[in-house]
Amino acid sequence: RSNRRQRQMCIRDRLNDDEPNVNSSNIYIATHLAILLTNTGEQERANLLLDRSLTYLQDQRRLRGSGFEIWELPIYALQGKPKKALTVLRQAIDKSWRNEWWVAAHHDPALDSIRDEPEFRAMMDEIRSDMAVQLERVRAMERNGELASIPELPAAG
């Protein structure tokens, strides 16, 4: 309960902060807070938060391991820069990014502005196909006795 209360206070503080400090512990919150600010008519504050987020990300490690490059995707999408967002996504996919791709493909509200773009859909289909290949490799390893059997999951819709 105290963690939930701390998160709520952190979000409240961010809403009232005219000089937001973006870092690794709040970059996810920052992009989604920008959505809330935009939806409440506070576009200027949302833009400030997104700009601060990009400034923070410029100094961070790039993909390969624990890089932050993919966090530019929702920021550019929220800033109305679909070409930049799609370029970031393409680069991330080319560098084997797969974390949270399902959320990006279907649920992340920060990506609503690009979700129907043919290029975005093609990239998500590419990941979906790659994941199917990876699953088949795992199943082959199971059949060959190289890996303990993994239970089947229901098909995603």
Side-chain angles (χ1 to χ4, degrees):
R1 224 176 207 199
S2 68
N3 283 343
R4 183 177 179 177
R5 186 169 296 171
Q6 287 174 333
R7 281 193 307 262
Q8 288 172 340
M9 288 174 61
C10 176
I11 291 170
R12 223 176 288 124
D13 290 346
R14 293 284 168 234
L15 281 169
N16 295 322
D17 194 352
D18 291 331
E19 295 295 324
N21 179 24
V22 177
N23 56 50
S24 63
S25 67
N26 66 17
I27 188 82
Y28 180 81
I29 293 171
T31 56
H32 288 81
L33 182 53
I35 295 169
L36 292 173
L37 290 168
T38 298
N39 290 342
T40 59
E42 297 187 60
Q43 191 62 52
E44 192 172 313
R45 288 179 68 203
N47 291 340
L48 175 64
L49 195 53
L50 294 171
D51 289 342
R52 292 277 171 92
S53 297
L54 279 176
T55 299
Y56 167 76
L57 289 172
Q58 290 172 352
D59 294 330
Q60 303 309 305
R61 284 192 283 174
R62 304 323 256 168
L63 275 177
R64 283 282 191 244
S66 61
F68 287 90
E69 184 174 30
I70 194 64
W71 288 103
E72 293 173 0
L73 170 64
I75 295 169
Y76 287 133
L78 289 169
Q79 288 181 329
K81 299 175 182 176
K83 296 276 188 225
K84 280 189 167 190
L86 293 169
T87 296
V88 166
L89 180 58
R90 175 79 269 154
Q91 291 168 346
I93 291 170
D94 290 347
K95 293 178 181 178
S96 301
W97 171 80
R98 299 296 183 269
N99 287 354
E100 301 176 8
W101 76 274
W102 185 257
V103 173
H106 301 285
H107 303 291
D108 189 341
L111 303 181
D112 285 351
S113 67
I114 62 170
R115 190 166 285 111
D116 290 332
E117 293 284 333
E119 190 176 349
F120 181 86
R121 287 181 176 203
M123 285 188 269
M124 292 298 108
D125 287 344
E126 179 183 334
I127 293 174
R128 191 174 288 107
S129 295
D130 180 53
M131 298 305 288
V133 168
Q134 296 300 323
L135 178 59
E136 182 48 41
R137 286 181 183 156
V138 168
R139 297 296 182 217
M141 291 174 73
E142 289 173 344
R143 287 189 298 274
N144 295 332
E146 300 172 55
L147 187 65
S149 182
I150 298 173
E152 291 286 331
L153 295 175

